[in-house]
Structures are given as structure tokens and as C-alpha cells.
Amino acid sequence: MNYNTKRRVAALLAVPALLFTAACGSDDDSNGGETAGVAQVDGKVGEKPKISVPKDGDPSGKTVVETVSEGSGTAIKASDFVRLDWTVEKWGEDKELGGTWAATSTGESTPRRQSVEQIGKPSQQLPAKVLDAVKGKKPGSRVLVQGTAGDLIGESLNPSSGINQKDVLIWVVDVAGAGHVDPKGEAKGEQAASEPGLPEVKAPSQKAATITIPKNTKAPKDLKEQVLIKGDGKKVEAGQGLVAQYTGVKWEDGKKFDSSWDHGGATAFQIGTGSVVPGWDKGLVGKNVGDRVLLVIPPSLGYGASPDSELSKNTLVFVVDILDVV
């Protein structure tokens, strides 16, 4: 089974009742929100937007993409990694159907959960057309995407969502961060030997790491971590999107259950917000870009709180190469 990070390592954000997998492009009518039949967006980028629609009049009959506010820096390209805030409403109903602006569930001091995505790759949070709309935009931009559910979501629309194909949906997306990372990137430098009692790691270039569990050794009850290669990049902060290569095995039998190398290379996720298993948040926040980190995660900091997970009783061993943050 493929334990994709977005599905297994990440405890995903609350997904709205709209489930989607369709992928296609969209029209771009970038004219500052003044098109007839297009929702108006108020508020500052970085704060929850206020969406309003004309009381009289019908929505535009085609999908519209507008740059509500333009950011600065390098325009986002295909395959770039992005960290996004977003909200979605149905035309004529002042009700949020889903998004990232809800208060964090892990405490006021914890950064808000956001979506971390790679342009051109399937998302479990946003329809392909909505995610594709930020391509060509700059970090700090706010983008409106408006269209029918049939056009934006298509046949993947959940019939129990209460939304029909003709309903007009309005997404507002803020680009909080973006960056280009080589999907085949890896930590560079001399690797240290594992500390006594920790698994041995061999990491051949461009392949999943080989992790050997020490014989006749009980799994530790607490989180164990070791920096095997010391990077010299930026320190990882809670709330950032972390781009990484990783390989994971079970302590109990040493079998690999997942590796980013098995499904296209570098993967991104938000760190330090409860969006991934606690062992990742505790073990990777504060490390540096360029580090290769060995993590041994007991069930209590892994999937122990998720009894339905196949890994709920396992101690997990990960080798993580931190490639960048967005």
C-alpha cells in the first residue's frame, strides 16, 4: 500500500463536503474584480476575505479567474511548491463551505493550518482548476476563482454535498509562500554514524534509504532524533511548508511502508501545526534546510491516536532530508 505523505503522514485539514479529483484549466479574466456577475472580495491579504455578490443579477456564465491583489517576487511556475490560505462559498449564500481560516485546534500559539501543495499535482484540498489558477501569480497575491461546480469539480462532485453541477462556487486563494525545489533533491554532505541503539541508515543517491533496525533491541518509548547530515540553510519554523525526501519503516519488522522516492520525489507538507504526526512536528521544527534527520517515533507520537490506521501500534522510523521551506 502506498502511504503517501498527504494521506498517511499528514493529518489532513478539514476537507469541505466537496470531494474532487478532476483536473483541467481555466479562463483568466484578470480585471480587478469589476467583471459583471463576479463576486466582490474585500479585506487584506493575510486576513480572512469577505465575499459579497450583487443582490440583483446573475453570476457570470463562464469560469473567471481574477487577481484581486498582486504580490511581489518571482511568478509561480509549474511544479513549484506553494503554501496557501483559501475559502470557498456558494454564490448567494453567505456561508463558508471549507477553507483554512478556522481557528487552530491545537492552541492560540500554534500557527494556522494552511494547504501546502505542488502545482500540477493532485490536491486533496483544492480542485485542479483552482490550484492551477495561482500559476503565474506572485507570492502575496490574492486570487479569485469563480465558476460552476460542474466546470470546477466535474464528475468528482460529491452528490451528498448539497451542491449541484450548476451551482456557482467562489474560491478566494491567498498565496502565503512559494518556491521551486528540485523534486530529485537530497541532503548533501558526510553522513554521521547512527548513535548506539538507533537504526543504521544507508542512503544511496536518488533511491529510498535502507534503514536497518538494531537486533535484540526494544523500541524506545520516547521520541529519538539525530541529525545525520548537518545542513547550513534556514531554520525550519512552525507554520512553514516543508519540502522533503523521506523514507519510513516499521521498527517491529524493518519493512518499508513508504518513501517519497517511490512516488515522484520531494513531497511538501505544513510543519508545526498538527498537520502531520506529532513526531514530525516535534522532530523537524528547529532543524535546518539541508539536514538529514533520523526520527524514531513511538505510537503515542505517531498513529496511536488513530486506531483505524494500519500503523497505530507501530514505532515508526523515518529518514528525512529537508530540502527547503515555503
Side-chain angles (χ1 to χ4, degrees):
M1 179 178 291
N2 178 9
Y3 292 80
N4 183 286
T5 295
K6 291 287 185 180
R7 297 172 183 261
R8 295 296 183 183
V9 174
L12 291 173
L13 310 182
V15 180
L18 314 172
L19 302 181
F20 33 72
T21 56
C24 43
S26 58
D27 299 323
D28 190 340
D29 293 340
S30 300
N31 54 11
E34 299 177 357
T35 302
V38 177
Q40 180 68 38
V41 182
D42 295 310
K44 297 180 180 179
V45 176
E47 298 178 359
K48 186 175 181 177
K50 173 63 178 177
I51 300 173
S52 58
V53 301
K55 293 183 179 179
D56 299 317
D58 296 324
S60 172
K62 63 178 182 178
T63 293
V64 177
V65 176
E66 292 185 348
T67 302
V68 179
S69 180
E70 185 174 11
S72 60
T74 303
I76 296 166
K77 301 179 180 63
S79 80
D80 281 0
F81 291 89
V82 293
R83 177 166 50 88
L84 307 172
D85 271 310
W86 59 275
T87 186
V88 57
E89 295 184 7
K90 177 182 171 181
W91 180 280
E93 295 185 2
D94 186 17
K95 178 182 178 181
E96 187 177 39
L97 298 176
T100 63
W101 291 103
T104 177
S105 60
T106 54
E108 294 182 359
S109 62
T110 302
R112 183 177 62 258
R113 290 186 182 183
Q114 298 168 308
S115 294
V116 178
E117 311 288 351
Q118 185 177 10
I119 303 298
K121 293 291 185 68
S123 166
Q124 294 192 32
Q125 297 294 307
L126 297 165
K129 280 192 174 183
V130 176
L131 180 57
D132 189 63
V134 305
K135 187 169 64 176
K137 306 300 188 288
K138 299 176 181 179
S141 294
R142 170 167 283 178
V143 182
L144 175 143
V145 184
Q146 176 183 307
T148 64
D151 186 41
L152 294 179
I153 303 175
E155 295 181 358
S156 297
L157 179 66
N158 183 354
S160 64
S161 66
I163 303 295
N164 64 54
Q165 297 280 346
K166 294 183 179 180
D167 286 334
V168 173
L169 302 177
I170 306 158
W171 263 272
V172 179
V173 182
D174 287 4
V175 184
H180 181 76
V181 180
D182 180 2
K184 300 300 183 183
E186 55 194 348
K188 300 292 185 181
E190 184 177 353
Q191 180 176 299
S194 299
E195 295 172 356
L198 294 184
E200 178 185 352
V201 176
K202 294 182 179 179
S205 180
Q206 303 296 299
K207 294 182 180 180
T210 299
I211 303 171
T212 304
I213 307 301
K215 294 181 179 180
N216 302 318
T217 304
K218 292 183 178 180
K221 295 182 179 180
D222 300 318
L223 175 69
K224 300 295 182 183
E225 55 184 276
Q226 180 186 354
V227 176
L228 299 176
I229 294 178
K230 180 62 177 175
D232 57 5
K234 295 176 287 187
K235 181 172 290 189
V236 176
E237 299 179 3
Q240 292 178 322
L242 190 150
V243 187
Q245 303 284 10
Y246 69 92
T247 298
V249 306
K250 294 176 286 184
W251 180 286
E252 289 74 15
D253 58 15
K255 291 183 178 180
K256 181 181 71 172
F257 59 84
D258 192 23
S259 176
S260 58
W261 293 107
D262 294 340
H263 43 82
T267 301
F269 49 88
Q270 195 181 25
I271 195 71
T273 61
S275 299
V276 292
V277 293
W280 280 53
D281 280 344
K282 292 177 179 293
L284 297 179
V285 171
K287 299 298 189 292
N288 293 83
V289 171
D291 284 358
R292 172 171 290 162
V293 185
L294 171 63
L295 297 174
V296 182
I297 303 175
S300 61
L301 297 178
Y303 295 102
S306 304
D308 293 336
S309 170
E310 299 92 328
L311 303 174
S312 62
K313 297 181 180 180
N314 293 112
T315 294
L316 310 178
V317 182
F318 285 99
V319 174
V320 183
D321 285 9
I322 302 175
L323 303 183
D324 208 345
V325 290
V326 296

